[in-house]
Amino acid sequence: MDYQKILDTIYEEMSYRDVKGKVASYIPELAKVDRRKFGMHVYCGDQQHFCFGDSDEKFSIQSISKVFTLAMAMRIMGEHLWDRVSVEPSGDPFNSLTQLEYEHGIPRNPFINAGALVISDILVDQLDDPKKELLEFVRKITGDNSIDYDESVAKSEKATGYRNIALVNYIKALGNIKCDVEPIVDFYFYQCSLAMSCQQLSKAFMIFANRGKILDSGEKILKPKTVKRINALMQTCGFYDEAGEFSFQVGLPGKSGVGGGIVAIHPANYSVAVWSPILNEKGNSELGMKALERFTTLTGVSVF
Ligand code: GLN
């Protein structure tokens, strides 16, 4: 497969001018990002990789970080994790509070904010220094020590994070949060502020394409069963109330973030990351989704 040719075709065909959405502004720091940015990177199992555009520029990965924290929580809790978080698509926006009341504080899945905040609670409870351990985890799977948090994004989100703070309080009132609210949201805002490029993200996500093995070293960091569960959740819940549309258009397990990044994988084959900060109404990258639709159409390969 000539991935570079396919990426070049996508880069020629597509432009930020073709999409009408807006860059996220509810986190003030994210509104400063240049809407013209567009990059894509593909990693294959044989370490070959291909790219275009701004694929080496770091951006705020936001909710994509929920996949890393889920992997860490599964390593600690195993199957007991599912007593605290469910595994069904929510069909609701990522920051919704509504289902929690009648579902007794058990979030629908780990990729909506409610679920990610319960995962945060687990990591804050179980780890001495969760921020440090998350950073170590991401640096290890990429072999890249330049990856770090973006303090200004974390602070910006903290200053405006009323819904997330409300979610933790609400879940705590319903009995599914153990720690204090402050350290949980602090960790959550930092995890969302992780700054990574398409190159780094696609490399990191090779652990999910590669049955839990780190691309460079071959070291097994996750059990195949864990990877199977995470990929299933990315397929069914990775795009909030647009998970069906992403499956329909692209046909790969993946995860988006309001920084405009999307990462998707094809098991045993490749990992692909795309970044364009212009979001559609559901909070997913508009150009990113279109580019991935073209990618699976031009390669003729998807999980379906
Ligand atoms: N930090 C963002 C929030 O909690 C993450 C949301 C997202 O990327 N969908 O609102």
Side-chain angles (χ1 to χ4, degrees):
M1 189 81 69
D2 192 344
Y3 286 120
Q4 192 57 55
K5 195 165 168 220
I6 289 168
L7 291 187
D8 291 343
T9 306
I10 295 171
Y11 199 37
E12 262 166 43
E13 280 179 5
M14 297 196 164
S15 157
Y16 72 94
R17 291 187 192 86
D18 304 333
V19 290
K20 307 223 166 344
K22 291 195 175 78
V23 174
S25 59
Y26 76 101
I27 300 171
E29 203 60 26
L30 295 184
K32 296 180 181 168
V33 176
D34 183 345
R35 63 184 277 118
R36 294 170 299 184
K37 296 289 177 191
F38 186 30
M40 194 159 174
H41 209 109
V42 178
Y43 258 94
C44 302
D46 56 7
Q47 303 215 8
Q48 285 203 74
H49 56 117
F50 310 92
C51 61
F52 70 64
D54 303 305
S55 75
D56 277 335
E57 188 165 327
K58 291 182 183 175
F59 57 93
S60 189
I61 73 164
Q62 292 294 319
S63 282
I64 297 170
S65 65
K66 293 169 182 172
V67 189
F68 300 137
T69 51
L70 173 63
M72 288 171 68
M74 286 178 76
R75 293 212 303 180
I76 296 167
M77 299 270 289
E79 298 293 312
H80 294 295
L81 184 63
W82 314 118
D83 299 337
R84 305 272 310 267
V85 192
S86 190
V87 295
E88 293 297 338
S90 73
D92 268 343
F94 63 85
N95 54 8
S96 175
L97 285 95
T98 54
Q99 284 164 345
L100 287 168
E101 176 77 11
Y102 50 89
E103 292 177 2
H104 315 290
I106 306 293
R108 274 287 173 102
N109 66 68
F111 295 151
I112 50 171
N113 287 15
L117 288 160
V118 168
I119 301 286
S120 250
D121 178 50
I122 291 165
L123 296 181
V124 168
D125 183 46
Q126 299 281 330
L127 302 174
D128 289 339
D129 190 343
K131 280 186 206 168
K132 186 166 159 258
E133 295 205 29
L134 171 59
L135 212 49
E136 280 169 4
F137 180 79
V138 178
R139 287 176 175 177
K140 183 171 179 154
I141 60 177
T142 51
D144 189 335
N145 288 334
S146 77
I147 296 169
D148 216 333
Y149 300 113
D150 182 331
E151 297 270 345
S152 53
V153 171
K155 290 201 172 91
S156 179
E157 184 161 2
K158 198 166 203 172
T160 53
Y162 305 110
R163 284 191 83 95
N164 287 320
I165 295 162
L167 275 166
V168 182
N169 276 295
Y170 198 25
I171 303 169
K172 191 163 173 84
L174 293 165
N176 192 22
I177 288 281
K178 207 166 156 190
C179 301
D180 290 338
V181 175
E182 213 289 319
I184 297 168
V185 289
D186 179 67
F187 176 61
Y188 175 78
F189 296 144
Y190 269 84
Q191 75 169 69
C192 290
S193 85
L194 266 176
M196 291 173 73
S197 66
C198 289
Q199 184 266 329
Q200 291 165 334
L201 275 173
S202 54
K203 193 166 187 192
F205 269 60
M206 279 307 291
I207 59 170
F208 305 113
N210 219 358
R211 292 167 65 84
K213 283 195 203 134
I214 297 174
L215 184 67
D216 285 342
S217 62
E219 184 190 338
K220 200 172 205 173
I221 192 155
L222 297 173
K223 291 182 188 152
K225 182 176 166 185
T226 304
V227 172
K228 180 180 88 173
R229 299 226 185 292
I230 292 176
N231 289 348
L233 285 165
M234 285 202 275
Q235 188 75 55
T236 51
C237 313
F239 297 82
Y240 320 112
D241 45 341
E242 207 171 27
E245 185 71 17
F246 188 84
S247 269
F248 188 73
Q249 299 286 350
V250 179
L252 297 174
K255 185 73 201 82
S256 64
V258 292
I262 301 178
V263 199
I265 60 120
H266 191 283
N269 203 354
Y270 63 76
S271 162
V272 54
V274 60
W275 174 48
S276 157
I278 305 165
L279 305 183
N280 64 19
E281 279 176 0
K282 310 278 187 177
N284 296 315
S285 173
E286 212 178 322
L287 200 56
M289 271 180 74
K290 286 189 159 65
L292 288 169
E293 189 280 325
R294 286 301 284 149
F295 187 74
T296 49
T297 299
L298 291 169
T299 55
V301 177
S302 81
V303 297
F304 303 112

